[in-house]
Amino acid sequence: MKLGQLTGGTETATISGFAIDHRKVADGCVFGAFTGGKVNGEDYIPAAVKAGAVAIVARPEAIVEGAVHIADTNPRKAFATLAARFFAPFPAVAVAVTGTNGKTSCVEMTRQLWRMAGFHAASIGTLGVTTGDDRVSTGLTTPDVVTFLSNTAGLAREGVSHVAFEASSHGLSQYRTEGLPVRAAGFTNLSRDHLDYHGTMEAYFEAKARLFSEVVAADGAAVVWADDPLSPQVIEIAQSRGVRVISVGMQGETLKLVSRDPTLLGQGLVIEAEGRTFKVNLPLIGAYQAANALVSAGLVIATGGDVAATLAALARLQPVRGRLERAVISAKGAPVYVDYAHTPDALEAAIAALKPHASGKLIVVFGAGGDRDQGKRAAMGAIAAAMADVAIVTDDNPRSEDPAAIRAMVLQGAPDAIEVGARREAIGAAIAMAGAQDIVLVAGKGHEQGQIVGDLVLPFDDVSVAREMAA
């Protein structure tokens, strides 16, 4: 492919690929030189040209010698647009989900519902790239734009027709998922998270809102969980562009959640849609799992799914890895659940989901990550102290911070909590004290396979450890 075919110009250089890391540049590459919080990609333009880059996408004021300068005041967006033209075609139907919590569950549930409808579908997000046959970890909620577009195009070559992906606030603000046509966009909720990056809740919301104000197709659909305080703003943004709104939830108009009754292994839902009443036995516990399921159903319906068939399929959904996943039942008969909850709102939702199922004590093991928003630590402690019968504060991913200092900040909100620094020992202590009527929740890391301590990633899987300690 010639550069001119991508830019609409007359450039004759042959393009071999795209890169945003100068160390990955090869002959014929287009290099994206972006300014960031820690690194200025423009500093590496000479190295990229020396490595074979034939074009540089950068700000107009950047100095480019020896390659075509594709100048743009928003180089990230321009780079993504060009890269999308290079990697296309993509799966025919693509949807994106944003929100603080629930993104992973929603894209995976959407994939499952499409698969039940007979489509070859995939999901992309925190769990990696998932199809019905395989899962490949990427390590990021939203990978870099080159990886994202090449992976998505690869799925199309493998016959995938439908793809659902997570649109994180970082990914949206950095244009990591631009260029791919998005037929429908989902909004789950918004609560405190990533303020170390965005600074304010207003900036955080603005980043999320880009999915509806710019990314989703104007003739597409916005699927909105109507019961979040910020949902009216999301709906207003979508409607201002003429985007069709599908609202779901207790205040939803398209899929109205009339009632939700917890059962032993799930919950019974009554849903009103199209003037009819549907009863669904959802095999997942927790109010937020019902919310995720309805957003997912809305995305399927928004892309052509039959309402009755889609709602009926909710009864066959499988649990999502690390999302209220029942890891084991201890020798004493106590179920142990693992959940990714690592924000105050998510921890509250996970505890609230399990509380009705515990006739005895609810024992919660949790911590807070290092090098992240410190303001949420005491809040998480306060929630555990107020809602759990026993709270055990332990290490999450301390990263470069002192683990004891992180625990101390969490304990400010839960002064009566038990402190057990080593995560394995904390999980073991919780399981040891749990009786047959009790439930153990291990929160914070979910599906993760490692614990980040300093510069090391130590092998650690909450599910595997729980099973080991329960044996």
Side-chain angles (χ1 to χ4, degrees):
M1 180 178 288
K2 302 298 183 182
L3 180 58
Q5 293 176 265
L6 299 178
T7 64
T10 59
E11 300 93 345
T12 59
T14 299
I15 303 303
S16 63
F18 280 69
I20 59 173
D21 184 335
H22 71 285
R23 294 166 295 186
K24 296 181 180 180
V25 171
D27 286 340
C29 265
V30 175
F31 177 65
F34 315 137
T35 57
K38 297 180 179 178
V39 177
N40 184 358
E42 294 175 0
D43 295 340
Y44 300 95
I45 291 175
V49 173
K50 184 177 180 180
V54 296
I56 308 294
V57 182
R59 299 180 304 161
E61 55 265 40
I63 299 174
V64 178
E65 297 178 350
V68 176
H69 182 188
I70 301 175
D72 198 286
T73 55
N74 191 340
R76 290 182 184 272
K77 186 174 184 178
F79 181 86
T81 300
L82 294 175
R85 292 171 187 167
F86 176 80
F87 286 109
F90 303 107
V93 176
V95 303
V97 180
T98 198
T100 302
N101 303 306
K103 297 185 296 297
T104 300
S105 293
C106 283
V107 299
E108 174 55 16
M109 289 180 185
T110 301
R111 183 197 69 79
Q112 290 185 35
L113 293 172
W114 275 333
R115 187 177 176 88
M116 289 181 223
F119 298 109
H120 191 181
S123 62
I124 302 175
T126 305
L127 296 181
V129 180
T130 304
T131 65
D133 309 310
D134 199 9
R135 175 179 294 159
V136 179
S137 177
T138 61
L140 295 169
T141 301
T142 310
D144 68 83
V145 64
V146 176
T147 301
F148 174 78
L149 292 173
S150 62
N151 283 347
T152 309
L155 291 172
R157 290 192 296 272
E158 294 173 7
V160 170
S161 61
H162 290 58
V163 63
F165 66 91
E166 296 182 47
S168 68
S169 58
H170 291 72
L172 286 163
S173 66
Q174 295 172 13
Y175 296 85
R176 295 186 202 164
T177 55
E178 300 300 302
L180 175 69
V182 175
R183 289 268 300 275
F187 174 77
T188 59
N189 51 66
L190 194 92
S191 61
R192 178 173 182 144
D193 201 13
H194 301 307
L195 295 194
D196 53 310
Y197 176 80
H198 295 287
T200 66
M201 286 297 295
E202 290 75 17
Y204 179 41
F205 174 74
E206 185 177 348
K208 296 283 191 186
R210 272 203 67 246
L211 182 59
F212 305 92
S213 63
E214 299 179 31
V215 178
V216 67
D219 61 351
V223 179
V224 181
W225 174 252
D227 301 332
D228 188 84
L230 287 172
S231 293
Q233 293 186 44
V234 175
I235 291 173
E236 182 180 355
I237 290 169
Q239 290 178 333
S240 69
R241 295 181 59 220
V243 174
R244 177 168 62 109
V245 172
I246 293 177
S247 61
V248 305
M250 290 179 289
Q251 299 181 55
E253 296 182 0
T254 311
L255 301 179
K256 182 176 181 62
L257 180 58
V258 178
S259 65
R260 186 184 65 82
D261 298 312
T263 61
L264 182 62
L265 297 176
Q267 51 194 312
L269 309 180
V270 176
I271 303 163
E272 289 182 355
E274 296 186 329
R276 293 179 287 172
T277 299
F278 299 86
K279 293 184 178 180
V280 175
N281 290 319
L282 184 68
L284 306 169
I285 65 174
Y288 75 87
Q289 292 285 45
N292 294 335
L294 286 181
V295 171
S296 303
L299 289 167
V300 172
I301 292 166
T303 51
D306 177 76
V307 172
T310 301
L311 293 180
L314 294 179
R316 292 186 284 148
L317 285 174
Q318 297 297 308
V320 178
R321 181 78 166 89
R323 273 64 183 174
L324 275 188
E325 177 183 1
R326 192 172 66 192
V328 68
I329 296 178
S330 74
K332 297 179 185 177
V336 181
Y337 287 86
V338 169
D339 193 83
Y340 190 51
H342 57 280
T343 67
D345 183 66
L347 184 61
E348 181 178 3
I351 294 174
L354 292 173
K355 194 73 172 176
H357 300 269
S359 54
K361 300 187 296 293
L362 179 59
I363 304 167
V364 178
V365 180
F366 73 108
D371 301 334
R372 298 294 186 268
D373 178 17
Q374 296 186 4
K376 66 183 181 182
R377 295 174 183 174
M380 292 177 68
I383 286 169
M387 299 181 66
D389 296 294
V390 179
I392 300 177
V393 177
T394 189
D395 293 340
D396 190 283
N397 292 316
R399 299 184 175 88
S400 70
E401 289 193 60
D402 176 12
I406 297 174
R407 296 195 304 272
M409 295 181 73
V410 176
L411 287 164
Q412 288 177 6
D416 296 327
I418 301 169
E419 181 180 7
V420 180
R423 193 171 182 89
R424 180 182 299 273
E425 294 177 11
I427 294 172
I431 293 174
M433 71 174 65
Q437 306 302 314
D438 303 332
I439 290 179
V440 175
L441 168 63
V442 182
K445 291 174 57 58
H447 63 282
E448 294 179 352
Q449 299 296 294
Q451 185 177 31
I452 307 172
V453 181
D455 295 328
L456 301 176
V457 180
L458 306 177
F460 200 99
D461 175 15
D462 280 352
V463 172
S464 297
V465 171
R467 290 171 179 169
E468 176 188 333
M469 293 298 177

